[in-house]
Amino acid sequence: MDPSDAAYAGQEVYSRAFLRMYDPVILGFYGNVVWRCPTSRLVQQYRQHVGHRHLDVGPGTGYFLEHGRLPNDARITLLDPKPDVLAHAARRLSDRHPSAIQADVLKPLPLTAGDRFDSAAMNYVLHCLPGPPVRKAAAAQNVAAVLKPGGVLFGATVLGATGPHTWLSQAVLWFVNSRRIFDNLSDTEDGLRDVLEASFATVEIDVIGSVAVFTART
Ligand SMILES: C[S@@+](CC[C@H](N)C(=O)[O-])C[C@H]1O[C@@H](n2cnc3c(N)ncnc32)[C@H](O)[C@@H]1O
């Protein structure tokens, strides 16, 4: 991704070194303790929604795909602008032979007309995308465009400054925004609903700790 792109900062941090410590630090400590949304709850969401043809936007280390009890015949496509992420997740899931696409979810996805998915995940990705929330609507729109009718998008995103934060999560929120790792200070549950409802027929959001956990269907 071009460093001048507004979305560059949100994916830059996912280097090979960072990905090696991601699961215990980010999913173990930050997810469970700082944001107070049990990682096990998000694994459950994968188990509930992953379909036969699944698109994973921003797969990170591939943790959720490994633990999500995917159908044996599931066909997985990984999509991320960062080559290190695609290599790490593809290696972890090598027994499932995933396809990997280097792309930015904010731009129309480089998929052929026949590529249609039963499910897509966008887990802990929206808070990395450039704000305000209305700018993130392109991500929902681009994913909706590659889902089959009745297909499901699910995921989670950390809420912004007016969200249900503790002093600890508020401090971390401001720090990660100052480093541009997150760009979500103005993200709200209502803003997320608007973003999803612009492209999906039904939207459900549960707020758990400082995190909005969402499901949307075409
Ligand atoms: C916080 S990690 C989440 C990883 C994984 N989904 C999880 O929940 O553990 C954010 C992921 O989103 C990816 N990402 C950031 N900006 C993106 C963009 N514009 N398009 C697609 N993926 C992006 C990052 O490279 C990284 O893989």
Side-chain angles (χ1 to χ4, degrees):
M1 185 183 283
D2 193 297
S4 64
D5 195 302
Y8 182 82
Q11 50 88 59
E12 192 200 0
V13 71
Y14 300 95
S15 63
R16 278 191 290 176
F18 185 59
L19 290 166
R20 274 198 291 273
M21 61 173 197
Y22 183 92
D23 290 358
V25 175
I26 304 300
L27 297 179
F29 179 69
Y30 281 86
N32 293 316
V33 179
V34 177
W35 311 125
R36 295 166 297 126
C37 178
T39 295
S40 57
R41 168 68 175 76
L42 301 178
V43 169
Q44 209 183 343
Q45 198 185 29
Y46 265 75
R47 290 182 182 172
Q48 193 177 349
H49 293 303
V50 167
H52 172 66
R53 287 222 60 195
H54 176 74
L55 172 69
D56 217 82
V57 177
T61 59
Y63 174 92
F64 289 100
L65 289 167
E66 185 180 13
H67 293 275
R69 285 207 202 117
L70 275 55
N72 284 338
D73 58 350
R75 287 170 60 198
I76 304 165
T77 299
L78 310 170
L79 185 143
D80 203 289
K82 188 86 180 171
D84 288 343
V85 166
L86 294 173
H88 187 110
R91 208 176 318 116
R92 185 173 197 168
L93 302 162
S94 57
D95 56 330
R96 291 190 169 272
H97 309 292
S99 308
I101 299 177
Q102 187 183 358
D104 173 0
V105 70
L106 291 171
K107 312 221 166 60
L109 304 184
L111 293 161
T112 56
D115 284 330
R116 288 290 175 271
F117 299 90
D118 301 299
S119 61
M122 200 151 55
N123 202 63
Y124 285 155
V125 174
L126 285 170
H127 57 232
C128 303
L129 302 181
V134 68
R135 243 171 125 181
K136 308 187 186 205
Q141 193 183 341
N142 291 332
V143 173
V146 298
L147 284 173
K148 291 178 184 168
V152 60
L153 167 67
F154 63 93
T157 188
V158 176
L159 292 169
T162 60
H165 286 287
T166 60
W167 65 266
L168 175 62
S169 66
Q170 194 69 253
V172 172
L173 182 75
W174 284 89
F175 175 74
V176 291
N177 272 272
S178 73
R179 302 293 295 268
R180 300 185 59 219
I181 297 167
F182 282 19
D183 189 346
N184 71 334
L185 287 178
S186 58
D187 288 8
T188 60
E189 181 185 348
D190 287 347
L192 174 64
R193 192 177 295 283
D194 290 346
V195 159
L196 294 172
E197 283 182 348
S199 300
F200 290 87
T202 63
V203 173
E204 282 171 36
I205 301 177
D206 284 335
V207 176
I208 303 174
S210 309
V211 176
V213 180
F214 58 86
T215 313
R217 284 188 189 275
T218 54

